[in-house]
């Protein structure tokens, strides 16, 4: 789901077991990818120039997988993980 602040946002009411894969997300005012739900896979995306965080996993989000993403030039954190049981693997951040 797109918003005017983040490139892709998923909330708890959007369900679980979503996959965000192979997107190019650039120059969002807040987050490139904003996750507020369980069991989401975020993989093989390119995220550049986010106003805050490239990828943000919010607290209360459980068992997400963040792998093989390239995240660069975020104003705050390239990947900010506040979730529980998140797996971070082979992401490239600069």
């Amino acid at each position: 789901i797109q918003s005017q602040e983040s490139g892709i946002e998923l909330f708890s009411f959007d369900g679980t077991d979503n996959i965000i894969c192979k997107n190019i997300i650039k120059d969002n005012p807040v987050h490139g990818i904003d996750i507020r739900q369980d069991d989401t896979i975020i993989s093989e995306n390119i995220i550049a120039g986010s106003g805050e965080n490239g990828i943000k996993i919010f607290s209360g989000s459980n068992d997400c997988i963040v792998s093989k993403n390239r995240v660069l030039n975020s104003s705050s954190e390239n990947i900010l993980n506040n979730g529980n049981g998140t797996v971070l693997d082979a992401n490239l951040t600069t």
Side-chain angles (χ1 to χ4, degrees), residues 2 13 21 23 29 46 48 61 63 72-74 78 81 87 92:
Q2 285 188 308
F13 53 80
C21 186
N23 296 283
I46 299 171
S61 299
D63 304 322
L72 57 145
N73 300 327
S74 301
N78 284 316
N81 173 32
V87 174
L92 177 61

Side-chain angles (χ1 to χ4, degrees), residues 11-32:
F11 294 90
S12 59
F13 53 80
D14 292 322
T16 60
D17 302 317
N18 288 292
I19 298 172
I20 300 170
C21 186
K22 298 186 179 180
N23 296 283
I24 298 173
I25 302 167
K26 290 178 56 180
D27 301 326
N28 290 286
V30 183
H31 310 298

Side-chain angles (χ1 to χ4, degrees), residues 10-12 14-20 35-42 57-58 60-66 83-87:
L10 292 178
F11 294 90
S12 59
D14 292 322
T16 60
D17 302 317
N18 288 292
I19 298 172
I20 300 170
I35 301 300
R36 303 171 194 236
Q37 65 169 223
D38 298 340
D39 303 312
T40 298
I41 298 171
I42 303 165
I57 309 295
F58 280 79
S61 299
N62 299 298
D63 304 322
C64 295
I65 299 171
V66 181
N84 301 308
T86 303
V87 174

